[in-house]
Amino acid sequence: MPLWDHGLESTFSKVLAGHPAYEVTGGEVLYRGENLFDMEPEVRSRAGIFLAFQYPLEIPGVSNVDFLRVAYNSKRKHEGLEELDAFDFDDLVQQKLEVVKMKPEFLSRSVNEGFSGGEKKRNEILQMAMLEPKLAILDETDSGLDIDALRIVAGGVNELSQPDNATLLITHYQRLLDYIVPDFVHVMEGGRILTTGG
Amino acid sequence: MSLQVSTISDLGIVSTASERRSACLKALLEMRSPSLAVPPWLQAHRDLAATKAQTLSIPSSRDEDWRFTDLSALVSAQFLSNTSAPFSIDLSEIKSFLIPEATHRLVFINGLYCSGLSEVADLPRGLFVGNLSAALQIESVAAALQNHWARQPEREDVFTLLNTASFNDTAVVYVEKNQEIAAPVQLLFLSLDGAGAIAAHPRGLIVAEKNSSVAVIEEYASLGFENNLCNAVTEVWLHDNAQMNHTRVQRESHAAFHMGKTVVSQARSSRYTCNVLSIGAKLSRHNLEIYQTGEQTETHLNGLTMIAGEQVGDLHSAIALTAPHGTTRQLHKCIVDDRAHAIFNGKVFVPQAAQMTDAGQLNRNLLLSPKARVDTKPQLEIVADNVRCTHGATVSQLADDEVFYLQSRGIDAESAQKLLVYAFAFEIISQIPIASLQETLAQWARRSPLEQNT
């Protein structure tokens, strides 16, 4: 566990998404009426939980577009919808690229391989744009970003924010909050919420 | 008392097993055609090899070089001579093996040349591609044959001797000096069974003269579910400043025995790249031997052993440097599933004369099941004192973090694992410079949800 995680909020976000390193010994988290802890991580994702990683993984040999298509179609299947074919999928992904101002060349590159820190974070937001989660958890998405990348990421998050979805931002810094105005703020320390305000 | 009894019975078993090992080799040697329509010098190689092999036997796991690779299944198998099984194979039956980029190819079935399936018309200037009898008809190529055939070091290894004693033909690629050959050449060695399992001894000889360059794809595959023995030897010679990109794919049936040898001599300033993929056969052993004989020589070896079920896949590589300023880079990966067993032994010899050597070796292994096994042994022998030599070996399972990342995007655990395995394999597959072959192997390695959509 990273040392800076004094508040255990990264732990909390990983537990919500179902990281195998954490065992839940008690309690439950109700998400739209169901206990999250009864679901496999992929089922949580398909049901609308999205965790943007602080350190996104590199997957050499798997192109971004293939990865997005498999992820996207897993969700479609879960919702009882038909999988999108390559052409329709391509149209959709081109639109979503706009959200994070990424060039189409990004799609043919291997997932996160050789991406800069900023590109990786933008790629996370692209995945989020594709999967349209109900609850997105952005874990330190602002860390390691230069100001331009920060603006793009923040712009993407704002654009994806809808009345019927929620975004949980985890941050230690003010600067992200210059671009994203939260509805509520929770201050966490040692795994407990100290104070809440809106 | 009981100790004595068990010692006696052990001795009994040892002597029977050792008898069976030498009987197996004798039986294989007896299948050889005693004479071929070849020049006396070549017949002399055959006869000498047969004489030497008579005194040997199939190795046991007591031989250090065969410690992890048990040949007892080979010893107890029965084989028929490759000439005992006449065949008639149509081009349409081997379509899936053909590589469109390769404008010229040689096809051998059970080590026998198939002129109707090969493509040797309209060879570019400076390139010869053909079988032994065609090669012997051209003076310059015949001379090169005599100077290079069975002239490599380590030719006294038992399986190499067996091949030299028993070969029927040779796939010959000869590149004249100063010639850069644009299109790759394909050497396709297919296995087909007859009334029973067949023993075949395919042979290849590739010679790149000074300042020439060529790419060769050498592939071993089965037409059906053959349990044949393929005992292959390919000799490669790179003269001064020659370049060669060599892709060797072994994807024989999961019932087959594959004993392979690739031996390469590299003269000054030559550059050799070899991509070795071993995914087939029930039991496969590949000896990959590189001799850098001149200064400033470069060797790049990329390898992938990807096996499952009960397969055994063994790569023994040896790189011997003899002159200063040599460079070698080796990355060998093994992906082992089920109860399969991979073996990697990578030797690098850096003698006193090989100062300023830059040698790097890495072996990475991915075990996918609790019963999967890998034995890895990087073996660097360094005498020279002004060199840079690195080596490493890793053995791991798929990381939970990696699987979780994909799961968190809605991909189920099984598909996530397949995707990560594919990504691990792709690092090697992507080195193959021929797009169609790269795609074929990538698809094979993928076996994942990606396929459903493409």
Side-chain angles (χ1 to χ4, degrees), chain B residues 293-326:
Chain B
T293 60
E295 291 185 24
Q296 292 184 327
T297 311
E298 250 184 78
T299 309
H300 298 260
L301 306 180
N302 307 299
L304 176 66
T305 301
M306 192 163 169
I307 50 177
E310 306 268 321
Q311 285 181 285
V312 176
D314 179 348
L315 178 85
H316 268 59
S317 67
I319 306 172
L321 295 99
T322 60
H325 294 285

mmCIF file of all heavy atoms in Angstrom, chain B residues 293-326:
data_model
loop_
_atom_site.group_PDB
_atom_site.id
_atom_site.type_symbol
_atom_site.label_atom_id
_atom_site.label_comp_id
_atom_site.label_asym_id
_atom_site.label_seq_id
_atom_site.Cartn_x
_atom_site.Cartn_y
_atom_site.Cartn_z
ATOM 1 N N THR B 293 32.389 -16.679 -35.446
ATOM 2 C CA THR B 293 33.774 -16.997 -35.774
ATOM 3 C C THR B 293 34.591 -15.765 -36.116
ATOM 4 O O THR B 293 35.800 -15.853 -36.260
ATOM 5 C CB THR B 293 33.844 -17.985 -36.943
ATOM 6 O OG1 THR B 293 33.218 -17.372 -38.078
ATOM 7 C CG2 THR B 293 33.116 -19.278 -36.633
ATOM 8 N N GLY B 294 33.921 -14.606 -36.269
ATOM 9 C CA GLY B 294 34.658 -13.394 -36.632
ATOM 10 C C GLY B 294 34.316 -12.247 -35.696
ATOM 11 O O GLY B 294 33.421 -12.350 -34.854
ATOM 12 N N GLU B 295 35.048 -11.150 -35.855
ATOM 13 C CA GLU B 295 34.834 -9.977 -35.009
ATOM 14 C C GLU B 295 33.527 -9.266 -35.343
ATOM 15 O O GLU B 295 33.007 -9.390 -36.442
ATOM 16 C CB GLU B 295 35.992 -8.977 -35.211
ATOM 17 C CG GLU B 295 37.300 -9.469 -34.655
ATOM 18 C CD GLU B 295 38.392 -8.410 -34.764
ATOM 19 O OE1 GLU B 295 38.060 -7.216 -34.835
ATOM 20 O OE2 GLU B 295 39.574 -8.795 -34.775
ATOM 21 N N GLN B 296 33.074 -8.479 -34.391
ATOM 22 C CA GLN B 296 31.935 -7.572 -34.578
ATOM 23 C C GLN B 296 30.710 -8.259 -35.140
ATOM 24 O O GLN B 296 30.029 -7.754 -36.021
ATOM 25 C CB GLN B 296 32.342 -6.418 -35.502
ATOM 26 C CG GLN B 296 33.345 -5.516 -34.833
ATOM 27 C CD GLN B 296 33.689 -4.320 -35.671
ATOM 28 O OE1 GLN B 296 33.696 -4.409 -36.902
ATOM 29 N NE2 GLN B 296 33.979 -3.217 -35.037
ATOM 30 N N THR B 297 30.458 -9.433 -34.616
ATOM 31 C CA THR B 297 29.334 -10.221 -35.101
ATOM 32 C C THR B 297 28.139 -9.995 -34.185
ATOM 33 O O THR B 297 28.306 -9.814 -32.989
ATOM 34 C CB THR B 297 29.754 -11.699 -35.098
ATOM 35 O OG1 THR B 297 31.005 -11.785 -35.744
ATOM 36 C CG2 THR B 297 28.773 -12.572 -35.801
ATOM 37 N N GLU B 298 26.963 -10.024 -34.778
ATOM 38 C CA GLU B 298 25.750 -9.765 -33.990
ATOM 39 C C GLU B 298 24.796 -10.945 -34.080
ATOM 40 O O GLU B 298 24.522 -11.435 -35.172
ATOM 41 C CB GLU B 298 25.032 -8.551 -34.563
ATOM 42 C CG GLU B 298 25.085 -7.321 -33.688
ATOM 43 C CD GLU B 298 24.261 -6.210 -34.301
ATOM 44 O OE1 GLU B 298 23.035 -6.265 -34.179
ATOM 45 O OE2 GLU B 298 24.862 -5.315 -34.921
ATOM 46 N N THR B 299 24.239 -11.344 -32.935
ATOM 47 C CA THR B 299 23.276 -12.436 -32.899
ATOM 48 C C THR B 299 22.080 -12.020 -32.060
ATOM 49 O O THR B 299 22.246 -11.538 -30.941
ATOM 50 C CB THR B 299 23.902 -13.695 -32.248
ATOM 51 O OG1 THR B 299 25.136 -13.979 -32.884
ATOM 52 C CG2 THR B 299 22.976 -14.888 -32.373
ATOM 53 N N HIS B 300 20.909 -12.188 -32.625
ATOM 54 C CA HIS B 300 19.675 -11.893 -31.884
ATOM 55 C C HIS B 300 18.786 -13.125 -31.879
ATOM 56 O O HIS B 300 18.395 -13.599 -32.944
ATOM 57 C CB HIS B 300 18.907 -10.740 -32.542
ATOM 58 C CG HIS B 300 19.668 -9.453 -32.554
ATOM 59 N ND1 HIS B 300 19.435 -8.452 -31.645
ATOM 60 C CD2 HIS B 300 20.667 -9.026 -33.338
ATOM 61 C CE1 HIS B 300 20.264 -7.454 -31.874
ATOM 62 N NE2 HIS B 300 21.030 -7.771 -32.902
ATOM 63 N N LEU B 301 18.478 -13.635 -30.707
ATOM 64 C CA LEU B 301 17.621 -14.815 -30.618
ATOM 65 C C LEU B 301 16.352 -14.463 -29.845
ATOM 66 O O LEU B 301 16.422 -13.984 -28.718
ATOM 67 C CB LEU B 301 18.345 -15.959 -29.906
ATOM 68 C CG LEU B 301 19.714 -16.368 -30.454
ATOM 69 C CD1 LEU B 301 20.285 -17.523 -29.624
ATOM 70 C CD2 LEU B 301 19.620 -16.772 -31.919
ATOM 71 N N ASN B 302 15.207 -14.697 -30.478
ATOM 72 C CA ASN B 302 13.927 -14.511 -29.802
ATOM 73 C C ASN B 302 13.219 -15.853 -29.799
ATOM 74 O O ASN B 302 13.092 -16.467 -30.855
ATOM 75 C CB ASN B 302 13.056 -13.510 -30.556
ATOM 76 C CG ASN B 302 13.772 -12.208 -30.801
ATOM 77 O OD1 ASN B 302 14.161 -11.536 -29.851
ATOM 78 N ND2 ASN B 302 13.978 -11.861 -32.059
ATOM 79 N N GLY B 303 12.773 -16.299 -28.654
ATOM 80 C CA GLY B 303 12.168 -17.627 -28.622
ATOM 81 C C GLY B 303 10.888 -17.669 -27.821
ATOM 82 O O GLY B 303 10.726 -16.946 -26.833
ATOM 83 N N LEU B 304 9.971 -18.514 -28.272
ATOM 84 C CA LEU B 304 8.735 -18.732 -27.527
ATOM 85 C C LEU B 304 8.414 -20.219 -27.535
ATOM 86 O O LEU B 304 8.300 -20.832 -28.594
ATOM 87 C CB LEU B 304 7.573 -17.953 -28.165
ATOM 88 C CG LEU B 304 6.202 -18.188 -27.533
ATOM 89 C CD1 LEU B 304 6.141 -17.658 -26.112
ATOM 90 C CD2 LEU B 304 5.100 -17.531 -28.370
ATOM 91 N N THR B 305 8.304 -20.789 -26.347
ATOM 92 C CA THR B 305 7.783 -22.145 -26.201
ATOM 93 C C THR B 305 6.421 -21.993 -25.554
ATOM 94 O O THR B 305 6.317 -21.415 -24.471
ATOM 95 C CB THR B 305 8.691 -22.984 -25.281
ATOM 96 O OG1 THR B 305 10.011 -23.015 -25.841
ATOM 97 C CG2 THR B 305 8.179 -24.407 -25.149
ATOM 98 N N MET B 306 5.369 -22.444 -26.234
ATOM 99 C CA MET B 306 4.022 -22.281 -25.672
ATOM 100 C C MET B 306 3.331 -23.635 -25.730
ATOM 101 O O MET B 306 2.979 -24.103 -26.799
ATOM 102 C CB MET B 306 3.269 -21.227 -26.481
ATOM 103 C CG MET B 306 1.986 -20.768 -25.835
ATOM 104 S SD MET B 306 1.441 -19.208 -26.578
ATOM 105 C CE MET B 306 -0.209 -19.088 -25.910
ATOM 106 N N ILE B 307 3.215 -24.279 -24.580
ATOM 107 C CA ILE B 307 2.757 -25.656 -24.568
ATOM 108 C C ILE B 307 1.721 -25.899 -23.481
ATOM 109 O O ILE B 307 1.635 -25.153 -22.508
ATOM 110 C CB ILE B 307 3.946 -26.635 -24.378
ATOM 111 C CG1 ILE B 307 4.808 -26.210 -23.191
ATOM 112 C CG2 ILE B 307 4.785 -26.726 -25.652
ATOM 113 C CD1 ILE B 307 5.953 -27.162 -22.891
ATOM 114 N N ALA B 308 0.939 -26.971 -23.675
ATOM 115 C CA ALA B 308 -0.141 -27.305 -22.738
ATOM 116 C C ALA B 308 -0.313 -28.816 -22.726
ATOM 117 O O ALA B 308 0.464 -29.541 -23.339
ATOM 118 C CB ALA B 308 -1.432 -26.607 -23.174
ATOM 119 N N GLY B 309 -1.358 -29.281 -22.043
ATOM 120 C CA GLY B 309 -1.608 -30.730 -21.982
ATOM 121 C C GLY B 309 -0.424 -31.431 -21.340
ATOM 122 O O GLY B 309 0.031 -31.050 -20.275
ATOM 123 N N GLU B 310 0.082 -32.448 -22.025
ATOM 124 C CA GLU B 310 1.203 -33.224 -21.496
ATOM 125 C C GLU B 310 2.476 -32.931 -22.280
ATOM 126 O O GLU B 310 3.427 -33.711 -22.244
ATOM 127 C CB GLU B 310 0.890 -34.721 -21.602
ATOM 128 C CG GLU B 310 -0.408 -35.150 -20.961
ATOM 129 C CD GLU B 310 -0.213 -35.593 -19.512
ATOM 130 O OE1 GLU B 310 0.799 -36.244 -19.235
ATOM 131 O OE2 GLU B 310 -1.073 -35.255 -18.678
ATOM 132 N N GLN B 311 2.482 -31.852 -23.035
ATOM 133 C CA GLN B 311 3.627 -31.573 -23.907
ATOM 134 C C GLN B 311 4.919 -31.322 -23.135
ATOM 135 O O GLN B 311 4.900 -30.783 -22.028
ATOM 136 C CB GLN B 311 3.340 -30.321 -24.752
ATOM 137 C CG GLN B 311 2.371 -30.538 -25.903
ATOM 138 C CD GLN B 311 2.179 -29.249 -26.679
ATOM 139 O OE1 GLN B 311 1.492 -28.346 -26.228
ATOM 140 N NE2 GLN B 311 2.790 -29.162 -27.840
ATOM 141 N N VAL B 312 6.011 -31.697 -23.763
ATOM 142 C CA VAL B 312 7.337 -31.357 -23.255
ATOM 143 C C VAL B 312 8.038 -30.546 -24.344
ATOM 144 O O VAL B 312 8.099 -30.981 -25.491
ATOM 145 C CB VAL B 312 8.160 -32.625 -22.931
ATOM 146 C CG1 VAL B 312 9.571 -32.237 -22.491
ATOM 147 C CG2 VAL B 312 7.472 -33.451 -21.864
ATOM 148 N N GLY B 313 8.521 -29.369 -23.997
ATOM 149 C CA GLY B 313 9.196 -28.513 -24.981
ATOM 150 C C GLY B 313 10.536 -28.066 -24.440
ATOM 151 O O GLY B 313 10.609 -27.408 -23.402
ATOM 152 N N ASP B 314 11.584 -28.447 -25.115
ATOM 153 C CA ASP B 314 12.950 -28.223 -24.621
ATOM 154 C C ASP B 314 13.731 -27.391 -25.629
ATOM 155 O O ASP B 314 13.830 -27.764 -26.794
ATOM 156 C CB ASP B 314 13.603 -29.611 -24.426
ATOM 157 C CG ASP B 314 15.050 -29.528 -23.925
ATOM 158 O OD1 ASP B 314 15.637 -28.441 -23.926
ATOM 159 O OD2 ASP B 314 15.587 -30.597 -23.545
ATOM 160 N N LEU B 315 14.251 -26.265 -25.186
ATOM 161 C CA LEU B 315 15.175 -25.498 -26.027
ATOM 162 C C LEU B 315 16.535 -25.463 -25.350
ATOM 163 O O LEU B 315 16.656 -24.998 -24.216
ATOM 164 C CB LEU B 315 14.704 -24.061 -26.253
ATOM 165 C CG LEU B 315 15.718 -23.277 -27.100
ATOM 166 C CD1 LEU B 315 15.486 -23.502 -28.582
ATOM 167 C CD2 LEU B 315 15.725 -21.793 -26.791
ATOM 168 N N HIS B 316 17.530 -25.949 -26.041
ATOM 169 C CA HIS B 316 18.913 -25.825 -25.593
ATOM 170 C C HIS B 316 19.619 -24.891 -26.560
ATOM 171 O O HIS B 316 19.803 -25.237 -27.720
ATOM 172 C CB HIS B 316 19.615 -27.193 -25.601
ATOM 173 C CG HIS B 316 19.526 -27.915 -24.298
ATOM 174 N ND1 HIS B 316 18.331 -28.251 -23.706
ATOM 175 C CD2 HIS B 316 20.503 -28.361 -23.456
ATOM 176 C CE1 HIS B 316 18.573 -28.886 -22.559
ATOM 177 N NE2 HIS B 316 19.883 -28.953 -22.381
ATOM 178 N N SER B 317 19.984 -23.721 -26.094
ATOM 179 C CA SER B 317 20.702 -22.825 -27.002
ATOM 180 C C SER B 317 22.134 -22.691 -26.524
ATOM 181 O O SER B 317 22.417 -22.791 -25.323
ATOM 182 C CB SER B 317 20.026 -21.454 -27.063
ATOM 183 O OG SER B 317 20.143 -20.787 -25.834
ATOM 184 N N ALA B 318 23.026 -22.488 -27.465
ATOM 185 C CA ALA B 318 24.431 -22.271 -27.119
ATOM 186 C C ALA B 318 24.980 -21.222 -28.068
ATOM 187 O O ALA B 318 24.800 -21.320 -29.281
ATOM 188 C CB ALA B 318 25.216 -23.573 -27.246
ATOM 189 N N ILE B 319 25.575 -20.207 -27.489
ATOM 190 C CA ILE B 319 26.213 -19.179 -28.303
ATOM 191 C C ILE B 319 27.688 -19.179 -27.934
ATOM 192 O O ILE B 319 28.022 -18.963 -26.771
ATOM 193 C CB ILE B 319 25.611 -17.787 -28.040
ATOM 194 C CG1 ILE B 319 24.087 -17.816 -28.220
ATOM 195 C CG2 ILE B 319 26.243 -16.752 -28.956
ATOM 196 C CD1 ILE B 319 23.404 -16.543 -27.788
ATOM 197 N N ALA B 320 28.529 -19.449 -28.901
ATOM 198 C CA ALA B 320 29.963 -19.461 -28.631
ATOM 199 C C ALA B 320 30.607 -18.298 -29.355
ATOM 200 O O ALA B 320 30.551 -18.203 -30.583
ATOM 201 C CB ALA B 320 30.573 -20.783 -29.099
ATOM 202 N N LEU B 321 31.181 -17.391 -28.570
ATOM 203 C CA LEU B 321 31.904 -16.278 -29.178
ATOM 204 C C LEU B 321 33.372 -16.653 -29.253
ATOM 205 O O LEU B 321 33.878 -17.369 -28.384
ATOM 206 C CB LEU B 321 31.719 -15.012 -28.345
ATOM 207 C CG LEU B 321 30.285 -14.471 -28.290
ATOM 208 C CD1 LEU B 321 29.603 -14.895 -27.025
ATOM 209 C CD2 LEU B 321 30.274 -12.974 -28.452
ATOM 210 N N THR B 322 34.048 -16.169 -30.286
ATOM 211 C CA THR B 322 35.478 -16.491 -30.371
ATOM 212 C C THR B 322 36.318 -15.266 -30.671
ATOM 213 O O THR B 322 37.540 -15.339 -30.636
ATOM 214 C CB THR B 322 35.755 -17.513 -31.491
ATOM 215 O OG1 THR B 322 35.331 -16.937 -32.722
ATOM 216 C CG2 THR B 322 35.022 -18.811 -31.272
ATOM 217 N N ALA B 323 35.680 -14.139 -30.978
ATOM 218 C CA ALA B 323 36.431 -12.968 -31.428
ATOM 219 C C ALA B 323 35.904 -11.723 -30.723
ATOM 220 O O ALA B 323 34.792 -11.729 -30.190
ATOM 221 C CB ALA B 323 36.303 -12.828 -32.939
ATOM 222 N N PRO B 324 36.684 -10.638 -30.714
ATOM 223 C CA PRO B 324 36.264 -9.431 -29.987
ATOM 224 C C PRO B 324 35.040 -8.742 -30.598
ATOM 225 O O PRO B 324 34.729 -8.942 -31.763
ATOM 226 C CB PRO B 324 37.492 -8.511 -30.087
ATOM 227 C CG PRO B 324 38.625 -9.371 -30.499
ATOM 228 C CD PRO B 324 38.035 -10.494 -31.271
ATOM 229 N N HIS B 325 34.422 -7.907 -29.770
ATOM 230 C CA HIS B 325 33.324 -7.030 -30.182
ATOM 231 C C HIS B 325 32.102 -7.782 -30.684
ATOM 232 O O HIS B 325 31.394 -7.299 -31.567
ATOM 233 C CB HIS B 325 33.794 -6.034 -31.255
ATOM 234 C CG HIS B 325 34.815 -5.051 -30.751
ATOM 235 N ND1 HIS B 325 34.504 -3.997 -29.945
ATOM 236 C CD2 HIS B 325 36.147 -5.002 -30.931
ATOM 237 C CE1 HIS B 325 35.604 -3.315 -29.642
ATOM 238 N NE2 HIS B 325 36.619 -3.920 -30.227
ATOM 239 N N GLY B 326 31.855 -8.943 -30.152
ATOM 240 C CA GLY B 326 30.629 -9.655 -30.518
ATOM 241 C C GLY B 326 29.457 -9.152 -29.700
ATOM 242 O O GLY B 326 29.618 -8.718 -28.557
#
